[in-house]
Amino acid sequence: MKKKYYLFEMNTLSLNIVSMVLFFALLLLTGNLLQDQTIDLDYLLGKSMLYMFPYFVFHEILHSISYVLHGADFKNITYGAHIEKGLLCCLCKQNVSKRNILISLLYPFIFIGIITYIIGIIFNMPLLMLLSIMNISGCSGDLLMFYSLSRIKNFEYSEYDNPTAFGLYTEEDLSNKKLPGLKYVGTKNELERKDLKKVTISKTSIISFIIIELLGVLYLFI
């Protein structure tokens, strides 16, 4: 069979369910770990709002670092903030190996999720623990993709000008393959990669960032 791109999008329902389960399970665990401590919740909430957006931006930067370290060309990496679509993104607009994408999916989960959470526990840093929980919850899509893509034998992975979809370039027929968390949307022989603007930030994202930062300041000082 001739190779072609099988296009997939994340299943929003699955994504939200996994995200909420991770968030509340870790929040419950953290509450038990910190039950003997007195915490200023307003201060913690305000600080988390101030650092949340930069923390998620760093999440995407970690994806790009992994892409490049494992074979991608940095000129084909783009970044975007599309809060109206519910996402920040790092897109690798070239074909990369299965190994590359699987490692890249785990970078933020491990480095600013698991490791930072453990550091927060060891050094009693509730803010770092909360940010790590938010990040792990935000990794729900990465984790679902990792599980699903690891079940496919041979493919090359690529993103393109649609920030909500990606392509798997393979001879294997994936149109009827059950991939948890992913929704099959069709096939293409080539992907559109004309929009290579390094950073794209929507107006909604800018407004959302300003509102979140202002709320954080209000919680801290009012």
Side-chain angles (χ1 to χ4, degrees):
M1 184 180 293
K2 182 181 178 181
K3 281 189 177 182
K4 53 187 173 182
Y5 290 96
Y6 289 82
L7 307 186
F8 291 89
E9 292 181 346
M10 291 300 304
N11 184 312
T12 305
L13 179 59
S14 299
L15 179 71
N16 290 335
I17 290 174
V18 173
S19 181
M20 287 189 293
V21 168
L22 288 172
F23 182 79
F24 287 110
L26 287 169
L27 206 61
L28 182 61
L29 171 64
T30 305
N32 289 329
L33 292 173
L34 301 177
Q35 62 183 344
D36 296 328
Q37 300 183 35
T38 300
I39 298 174
D40 186 336
L41 293 179
D42 286 339
Y43 177 81
L44 184 60
L45 184 58
K47 278 286 190 178
S48 66
M49 286 182 174
L50 288 177
Y51 293 125
M52 178 176 63
F53 194 82
Y55 209 76
F56 284 138
V57 169
F58 190 45
H59 174 121
E60 302 305 330
I61 291 174
L62 282 174
H63 279 312
S64 67
I65 290 173
S66 181
Y67 278 138
V68 173
L69 287 178
H70 297 94
D73 191 330
F74 183 66
K75 72 179 183 181
N76 294 323
I77 303 291
T78 67
Y79 304 91
H82 308 275
I83 299 300
E84 68 280 5
K85 298 179 181 178
L87 60 87
L88 300 177
C89 62
C90 162
L91 303 182
C92 185
K93 296 184 179 182
Q94 71 173 82
N95 287 21
V96 297
S97 67
K98 174 181 177 179
R99 178 177 180 274
N100 187 320
I101 181 56
L102 291 182
I103 293 174
S104 298
L105 287 169
L106 292 182
Y107 254 49
F109 173 70
I110 292 173
F111 288 109
I112 59 171
I114 300 299
I115 292 177
T116 50
Y117 185 79
I118 293 172
I119 292 172
I121 294 174
I122 294 173
F123 294 100
N124 189 25
M125 301 168 69
L127 176 60
L128 184 60
M129 295 170 72
L130 180 56
L131 289 171
S132 299
I133 289 172
M134 290 179 178
N135 179 69
I136 292 173
S137 176
C139 286
S140 57
D142 296 338
L143 296 175
L144 283 172
M145 281 182 62
F146 179 88
Y147 174 73
S148 291
L149 298 187
S150 65
R151 299 174 63 231
I152 303 173
K153 291 183 179 179
N154 296 303
F155 66 87
E156 292 178 0
Y157 173 90
S158 182
E159 289 157 318
Y160 56 111
D161 291 347
N162 181 351
T164 65
F166 61 88
L168 301 178
Y169 191 59
T170 179
E171 293 179 346
E172 183 180 353
D173 184 1
L174 302 179
S175 58
N176 294 312
K177 193 173 183 66
K178 300 298 182 182
L179 299 174
L182 301 182
K183 180 172 64 176
Y184 173 69
V185 295
T187 62
K188 283 190 176 182
N189 292 323
E190 297 293 336
L191 298 179
E192 292 290 331
R193 296 170 175 148
K194 295 179 181 178
D195 183 8
L196 287 175
K197 186 177 179 181
K198 204 64 181 176
V199 179
T200 302
I201 305 176
S202 68
K203 290 182 180 179
T204 302
S205 299
I206 294 173
I207 294 171
S208 299
F209 171 73
I210 293 172
I211 291 174
I212 290 172
E213 294 301 299
L214 287 176
L215 287 173
V217 172
L218 288 174
Y219 268 102
L220 287 174
F221 298 107
I222 296 179

